[in-house]
Amino acid sequence: MSRDPLLDSGDEAIFELRTTVPGPAGRLPLDPARLGGMTSGDFFGWTQNAGMGWDPRRLNGRDFLVLSTQGGIRAPDGTPVALGYHTGHWEVGLLMEEAARTLAAAGATPFAAYCSDPCDGRTNGTAGMLDSLAYRNDAAVVFRRLIRSLPTCRGVIGVATCDKGLPAMLLALAGARNLPGILVPGGVTLLAEEAEDAGKVQTIPARFAQGQVTFDHAAEMGCRACGSPGGGCQFMGTAATSQVVGEALGLALPHSALSPSGAAIWRDLARRSAKAILALERANTTTGAILGEDSLHNALVVHAAIGGSTNLILHVPAIAHAAGLPRPGFVDWTRVNRSVPRLVDALPNGPQGYATVQVFLAGGVPEVMLRLRELGLLRLGARTVTGRTLGENLEWWEASERRRRLRAKLRELDGIDPDDVIMTPARAASRGCTSTITFLDGNLAPEGALVKSTAISPSLLDGEGVYRLEGPARVFGSEAAAIAAVKSTGGDRIRPGEVLVLIGLGPGSGMPETYQVTSALKYVRDGQRVALVTDGRFSGVSSGPCIGHVSPEAWAGGPIGRLRDGDRVRVVIDTRRLTGTVEAVDLDAAALAARPVNPVLQPDPRVPDDTRLWAALQGASGGTWAGCVYDTARITGLLARGRAAEAAEGKRP
């Protein structure tokens, strides 16, 4: 009978076995007093450390934890053994290694743990996107549990890069208030020569369907767009914005966000971050001592100045909640965006649209902060992980050799004036750069909506900086139906002047991104002459007149769910005053409320129970405008009242 290779390989080496080994040599570095006071867990922890090969003579070192979102299996030469979900977590293990070696060289004992993250680019347009936003809370819980599960931990280094993994890491660091913590942003990928960027390349299926690109172009550009194997995308999307916000909060070293993945300067950041966590621990400076209302203010200001992703409207309040701070709301975001000019010219905003690595070379976050300091918009007394205040960090940056040499390097490599990338307020105004986010109201969004006004093409604005469109609604109950109409060249195609209304994509279904639709509208013929209105959210690289976060969502009975094809919808966005409306023209609130829900609003059977639970918990905690958090006190209070009501009705013993 022939051998079945699934049942028996035939390799004789598998039978070379033993049941005993000598065990690690040496002795634990104990004294009687210490041994008598140790818990069983402390003692067994040392036993396991020796079992893993750590020199027992070094077990008295202070324990530090390096957390990351690492994904995939990468061979020592960089080739893939098993792929990660995205370039952002592919190389961050190298940063962990640099940090750990630095800790060990200083006599500390490094530990490492992981909770990998998904890729929003990979899941766009698929059922995987239904888990994307919910993942953030899950990962933050895992990270916090990992921190607490190392009871001897003296400080935490968090290494992360992309759309949900990095916000989750920030939530975890903010929640570990009694420990020193530092963020190491995982950096960005490089531009590929003679290729489309990673945002534009995602629109190729729609452009091919419209006959705008050839098959050969699609195959070649799709292969080439990610210029280097590691790092977040080349645009100021959610990944890059989250890196910037982490630094603006004071949780990362100056000029750490947007570093080119794999470069020596990127590795150097990890080593210096390890030295910083050691210094923070010696000074007993915890994350709770760094994160405060001043650091949150600075994060909002920098977010506006860089033209950041609208997804941070979800993440920054969540970080504040984890830190035990008041959550910024409508009023705070509006106030900041009305007072802060957008100073960074980066993809997808423009006017030129530079890559994130070019923003880094132009000076990154500290250079932006220098401009903001001149305007008096920052709170310079905010504490940071350097052990110095923000004001002191900026004084160093302004006179530093690092600043001078990297800005010169941008001129040398790309022939770009760094002041064209990070502009003075006067230069930004002369180039028509609008402020970042406009919050809208109107009878379709009685609880609010938002638009990334800085990413609306100036060609769509009038002389006063106002975007206006009134047209018939085209209502879709799924992203798949909407993208089919956008790709179509037939009678069902989306036409210029229409308002594409996408319902049922709010928190009730996991609040998936709709980048597949927004990106297609940007690049397909006449697509920018269409407005999009949805109760869902957008990728950070989305652009154009795309109104999202419409609230109440359709699943909560919001009026957006009662629109019909052909209803006249008016969109007005004042990109200078940052005001606007989205409303049904011929229907008032009462008429909308009297209508039945549009029959295209149907439950998506692909929404998993895990996401339905997330939707219920974050909904009970204040919803999207409160950061999609879990408010434990609120949730347990509601559950207690529910149990009491059931008991009163005799439904429970």
Side-chain angles (χ1 to χ4, degrees):
M1 181 176 179
S2 61
R3 178 184 290 119
D4 186 336
L6 295 181
L7 300 177
D8 191 349
S9 67
D11 183 357
E12 287 297 317
I14 67 173
F15 299 108
E16 297 174 6
L17 296 166
R18 60 189 302 174
T19 58
T20 63
V21 292
R27 294 164 55 88
L28 297 183
L30 294 167
D31 58 68
R34 180 165 193 173
L35 177 59
M38 292 180 87
T39 66
S40 63
D42 290 341
F43 184 84
F44 187 52
W46 272 19
T47 300
Q48 292 191 89
N49 294 349
M52 286 183 278
W54 199 256
D55 187 339
R57 294 169 296 182
R58 301 174 59 194
L59 288 175
N60 272 317
R62 295 167 294 166
D63 294 346
F64 289 86
L65 176 59
V66 185
L67 284 176
S68 108
T69 55
Q70 179 178 339
I73 304 173
R74 185 181 179 278
D77 65 356
T79 57
V81 177
L83 293 169
Y85 285 14
H86 54 95
T87 60
H89 65 209
W90 176 246
E91 291 185 330
V92 295
L94 300 175
L95 293 174
M96 298 182 77
E97 184 176 343
E98 296 284 1
R101 291 188 185 281
T102 302
L103 291 169
T109 304
F111 289 77
Y114 318 86
C115 178
S116 194
D117 55 343
C119 175
D120 284 359
R122 185 178 294 273
T123 59
N124 254 295
T126 76
M129 181 52 71
L130 302 173
D131 284 292
S132 171
L133 185 54
Y135 159 88
R136 184 205 65 181
N137 290 13
D138 297 342
V141 169
V142 170
F143 282 135
R144 287 193 293 263
R145 291 191 188 280
L146 287 170
I147 293 169
R148 294 191 295 266
S149 296
L150 185 64
T152 55
C153 181
R154 305 290 289 271
V156 183
I157 298 174
V159 184
T161 306
C162 284
D163 292 28
K164 300 304 179 298
L166 199 148
M169 188 67 75
L170 285 170
L171 290 180
L173 292 174
R177 305 175 204 171
N178 297 322
L179 283 172
I182 191 168
L183 175 72
V184 180
V188 299
T189 190
L190 302 183
L191 285 169
E193 297 171 358
E194 299 180 5
E196 296 184 1
D197 65 77
K200 185 176 181 180
V201 78
Q202 295 179 55
T203 70
I204 280 181
R207 285 185 285 147
F208 178 73
Q210 290 275 349
Q212 294 178 220
V213 297
T214 67
F215 177 82
D216 286 343
H217 175 90
E220 185 175 343
M221 290 299 104
C223 181
R224 189 184 296 176
C226 293
S228 53
C233 292
Q234 303 125 335
F235 44 79
M236 193 61 72
T238 306
T241 304
S242 298
Q243 293 187 40
V244 167
V245 164
E247 185 176 335
L249 285 166
L251 288 179
L253 290 178
H255 201 230
S256 58
L258 314 181
S259 182
S261 183
I265 198 169
W266 174 81
R267 291 173 178 265
D268 175 72
L269 166 65
R271 294 191 291 269
R272 290 185 292 109
S273 297
K275 293 176 181 178
I277 198 72
L278 292 167
L280 289 168
E281 193 268 341
R282 286 192 297 269
N284 196 29
T285 302
T286 65
T287 301
I290 291 173
L291 284 181
E293 293 190 32
D294 286 353
S295 55
L296 278 175
H297 167 85
N298 291 338
L300 266 64
V301 168
V302 172
H303 174 272
I306 65 166
S309 164
T310 55
N311 281 317
L312 274 293
I313 307 296
L314 302 172
H315 300 321
V316 172
I319 295 165
H321 178 261
L325 298 169
R327 283 173 274 184
F330 250 76
V331 172
D332 305 290
W333 288 103
T334 302
R335 169 180 52 80
V336 167
N337 277 268
R338 285 178 177 170
S339 62
V340 178
R342 198 252 297 180
L343 303 176
V344 176
D345 181 351
L347 291 165
N349 301 327
Q352 179 64 38
Y354 296 103
T356 44
V357 68
Q358 292 166 330
V359 176
F360 176 80
L361 291 176
V365 175
E367 192 69 22
V368 175
M369 286 183 152
L370 283 185
R371 309 281 197 235
L372 296 169
R373 185 185 67 176
E374 294 170 11
L375 297 173
L377 293 171
L378 295 172
R379 296 181 182 173
L380 300 174
R383 301 178 71 178
T384 73
V385 291
T386 64
R388 303 175 180 87
T389 65
L390 172 61
E392 291 169 331
N393 289 344
L394 293 181
E395 288 175 7
W396 162 78
W397 173 256
E398 188 172 25
S400 69
E401 180 185 12
R402 182 184 179 98
R403 179 193 184 211
R404 176 183 61 80
R405 292 184 65 177
L406 290 179
R407 284 167 61 84
K409 181 66 73 172
L410 181 59
R411 290 189 181 93
E412 173 192 333
L413 292 174
D414 298 337
I416 294 172
D417 181 351
D419 289 335
D420 285 341
V421 182
I422 300 174
M423 299 169 283
T424 64
R427 185 175 296 200
S430 71
R431 298 185 178 187
C433 296
T434 65
S435 294
T436 295
I437 294 177
T438 298
F439 290 95
L440 312 175
D441 55 21
N443 62 14
L444 290 180
E447 294 179 5
L450 59 79
V451 61
K452 190 175 182 180
S453 44
T454 200
I456 301 175
S457 172
S459 66
L460 300 176
L461 309 178
D462 66 17
E464 300 299 317
V466 179
Y467 171 85
R468 290 184 174 87
L469 177 67
E470 181 178 321
R474 289 284 302 279
V475 184
F476 299 91
S478 71
E479 186 184 18
I483 194 63
V486 171
K487 289 180 176 180
S488 175
T489 57
D492 63 338
R493 69 186 183 276
I494 298 293
R495 291 175 169 81
E498 291 182 329
V499 180
L500 194 162
V501 181
L502 189 50
I503 64 175
L505 271 71
S509 61
M511 207 174 188
E513 287 183 355
T514 57
Y515 181 62
Q516 184 179 202
V517 176
T518 61
S519 62
L521 290 176
K522 178 178 180 178
Y523 289 106
V524 300
R525 195 175 294 110
D526 293 326
Q528 290 226 1
R529 295 169 61 192
V530 174
L532 170 64
V533 179
T534 180
D535 50 8
R537 63 187 178 92
F538 303 126
S539 164
V541 74
S542 294
S543 60
C546 299
I547 295 98
H549 297 226
V550 170
S551 185
E553 63 170 314
W555 286 117
I560 188 175
R562 302 175 191 277
L563 280 177
R564 297 289 192 278
D565 283 355
D567 286 342
R568 302 291 295 180
V569 174
R570 180 188 298 129
V571 175
V572 180
I573 305 166
D574 189 327
T575 65
R576 296 180 185 172
R577 295 178 179 83
L578 300 188
T579 60
T581 56
V582 53
E583 53 192 1
V585 176
D586 301 319
L587 297 163
D588 59 18
L592 280 167
R595 271 186 169 182
V597 171
N598 191 318
V600 302
L601 182 67
Q602 296 292 326
D604 186 338
R606 303 173 305 165
V607 177
D609 286 346
D610 299 325
T611 297
R612 292 176 57 227
L613 178 61
W614 166 86
L617 293 175
Q618 66 83 34
S621 305
T624 56
W625 299 115
C628 293
V629 299
Y630 298 157
D631 186 330
T632 303
R634 168 79 174 155
I635 293 168
T636 54
L638 289 171
L639 290 173
R641 287 195 289 275
R643 287 195 297 269
E646 285 186 342
E649 295 173 6
K651 294 180 179 179
R652 291 174 61 90

